[in-house]
């Protein structure tokens, strides 16, 4: 990432307007399972494994094995289950729940806890309107135990765990502030290693392209021209095109189309919005125009995408 470019997080943070909320401190042993239902649009799940091992299960995906220091973010709040790392053949142990304000402390009964999780939600206040949220992958995993990440992230993890262990006055607020910093650092680490297909993150990493992307995000309904985007980026048309092609492999207006369709796909999965209204909100003149573009991009009609999302949620 260009060290002279504007800090990507300075543009990303106000766009996402993230607010972390800690829900549970889980101290489990033996066989256990924690089921998480789909969250409303604009809320993301996160889990921090502070001790021991656990397994993430998502519908249609292989189990993901986790260890202490791993941080998970599910930007769209998809349904999932966190469970023990064993073969899962035994019935789950009973769990005692203790409340401290809005924070729940869950502890397995009759067995010594060998895993600790800090679980919560991140609210994206601008979502699902935010095209950036739609562009993030379904799952972001950061393994803090791997160098050089441990140097930067470990103190935050220790701070969160210590605050939630003592639960003194203001402990939850301090832990949530630490979690906010942790999340922003997580995005930056993801940005540094993002695949070219996740071009939106790379584009936000340099001043010229970030200004053009933020202009698109701020008004996706507008019929942007290349001249207007170049003006927003304070660059020439040729320079802007070169920068977009280098970072994302596409021209600015092609990237705008991808962002609009990504937003439409996200909205269809999460909200029962009429197609004509959705078309207007993402910059298409009619539902038919959106449907044609959607078919070219994803190989199915918007109605099929909506039906598929509902079927997956039911399953």
């Amino acid at each position: 990432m260009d060290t002279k470019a504007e800090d990507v997080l300075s543009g990303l943070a106000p766009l996402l307007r993230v607010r972390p909320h800690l829900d549970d401190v889980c101290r489990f042993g033996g066989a256990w399972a924690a089921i998480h239902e789909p969250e409303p649009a604009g809320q993301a799940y996160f889990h921090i494994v502070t001790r021991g091992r656990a397994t993430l299960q998502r519908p249609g995906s292989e189990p993901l094995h986790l260890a202490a220091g791993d941080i998970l973010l599910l930007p769209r709040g998809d349904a999932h289950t966190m469970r023990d790392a064993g073969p899962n053949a035994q019935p789950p142990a009973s769990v005692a729940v203790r409340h401290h304000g809005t924070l729940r402390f869950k502890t397995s009964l009759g067995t010594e806890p060998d895993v600790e999780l800090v679980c919560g939600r991140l609210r994206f206040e601008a979502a699902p309107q935010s095209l950036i949220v739609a562009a993030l992958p379904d799952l972001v995993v950061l393994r803090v135990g791997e160098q050089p990440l441990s140097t930067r992230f470990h103190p935050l993890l220790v701070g969160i765990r210590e605050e939630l262990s003592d639960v003194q006055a203001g402990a939850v607020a301090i832990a949530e502030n630490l979690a906010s910093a942790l999340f922003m650092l997580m995005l930056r680490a993801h940005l540094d290693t993002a695949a070219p297909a996740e071009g939106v993150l790379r584009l936000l990493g340099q001043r010229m392209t970030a200004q053009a992307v933020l202009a698109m995000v701020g008004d996706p309904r507008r019929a942007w021209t290349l001249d207007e985007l170049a003006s927003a980026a304070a660059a020439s048309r040729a320079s802007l095109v070169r920068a977009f092609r280098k970072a994302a492999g596409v021209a600015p207006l092609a990237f705008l189309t991808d962002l609009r369709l990504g937003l439409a796909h996200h909205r269809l999965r999460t909200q029962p919005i009429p197609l004509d209204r959705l078309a207007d909100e993402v910059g298409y003149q009619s539902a038919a125009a959106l449907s044609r573009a959607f078919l070219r991009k994803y190989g199915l009609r918007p109605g099929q995408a909506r039906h598929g999302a509902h079927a997956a949620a039911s399953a």
Side-chain angles (χ1 to χ4, degrees), residues 45-214:
Y45 279 119
F46 71 85
H47 300 281
I48 304 171
V49 184
T50 56
R51 184 166 69 95
R53 295 181 177 275
T55 300
L56 168 71
Q57 288 186 320
R58 294 188 297 153
S61 300
E62 291 294 321
L64 178 65
H65 301 292
L66 308 163
D70 290 351
I71 307 170
L72 281 75
L73 174 66
L74 292 92
R76 297 173 182 85
D78 294 334
H80 63 285
T81 299
M82 296 292 292
R83 67 168 181 82
D84 60 275
N88 205 26
Q90 301 177 357
S94 298
V95 173
V97 180
R98 176 173 60 89
H99 293 266
H100 181 86
T102 60
L103 185 64
R104 297 182 296 257
F105 288 83
K106 299 180 178 181
T107 306
S108 296
L109 295 176
T111 183
E112 185 69 22
D114 56 14
V115 62
E116 182 179 80
L117 305 171
V118 177
C119 309
R121 290 161 293 157
L122 292 169
R123 177 164 180 78
F124 299 97
E125 296 181 350
Q129 289 76 17
S130 170
L131 296 174
I132 307 303
V133 174
L136 288 172
D138 290 336
L139 176 67
V140 180
V141 182
L142 193 68
R143 300 191 184 275
V144 175
E146 300 175 357
Q147 291 289 349
L149 295 179
S150 60
T151 303
R152 181 64 58 87
F153 285 85
H154 186 67
L156 290 172
L157 290 175
V158 171
I160 291 171
R161 187 180 184 190
E162 288 181 349
E163 290 295 331
L164 297 180
S165 295
D166 298 336
V167 197
Q168 299 180 18
V172 175
I174 293 172
E176 287 183 343
N177 284 333
L178 292 173
S180 179
L182 188 72
F183 172 71
M184 298 309 298
L185 286 172
M186 185 177 185
L187 277 184
R188 186 165 71 185
H190 179 70
L191 168 68
D192 289 340
T193 59
E198 296 168 33
V200 65
L201 297 177
R202 292 192 180 278
L203 289 168
L204 285 170
Q206 50 185 312
R207 183 173 57 252
M208 181 197 306
T209 50
Q211 288 172 341
V213 169
L214 293 177

